[in-house]
Amino acid sequence: MTRLKQVARRENRSVNSFIEHALEKAAGLDFPKLPADFKVSEEILNLACFDLPRPTREELDNDPKYAYLYEKFIKE
């Protein structure tokens, strides 16, 4: 694990990011990285034909990862 941490640090990545990158390379996948302020257009959302349910405050309070993703990518 120490070696993995050293290699990840040398590439300025977290261990998780380094492993994800290595797996994507090994599988031949190349996913584009979206900018942090990326918003899905209303037209695309309408094509999806469904509305995402809004989480309750309790759900967000009980799940910090969900709250982070909701705040970053879904909340308008």
Side-chain angles (χ1 to χ4, degrees):
M1 186 66 159
T2 303
R3 176 89 171 112
L4 183 60
K5 287 179 184 178
Q6 290 172 345
V7 175
R9 190 177 308 127
R10 190 175 12 190
E11 292 191 16
N12 294 318
R13 294 179 178 273
S14 67
V15 172
N16 286 342
S17 174
F18 178 78
I19 292 170
E20 181 181 294
H21 178 71
L23 290 172
E24 287 174 353
K25 270 178 55 176
L29 303 174
D30 187 22
F31 295 108
K33 299 296 180 193
L34 299 175
D37 61 347
F38 179 80
K39 295 286 185 197
V40 177
S41 74
E42 197 65 37
E43 183 178 13
I44 298 299
L45 290 173
N46 290 336
L47 288 173
C49 300
F50 67 90
D51 289 322
L52 295 173
R54 299 291 180 211
T56 65
R57 181 81 257 162
E58 182 180 2
E59 289 174 313
L60 295 175
D61 289 342
N62 290 333
D63 190 340
K65 289 180 183 177
Y66 182 37
Y68 169 79
L69 293 172
Y70 176 75
E71 294 291 325
K72 184 164 179 121
F73 297 108
I74 299 173
K75 187 176 178 183
E76 296 173 15

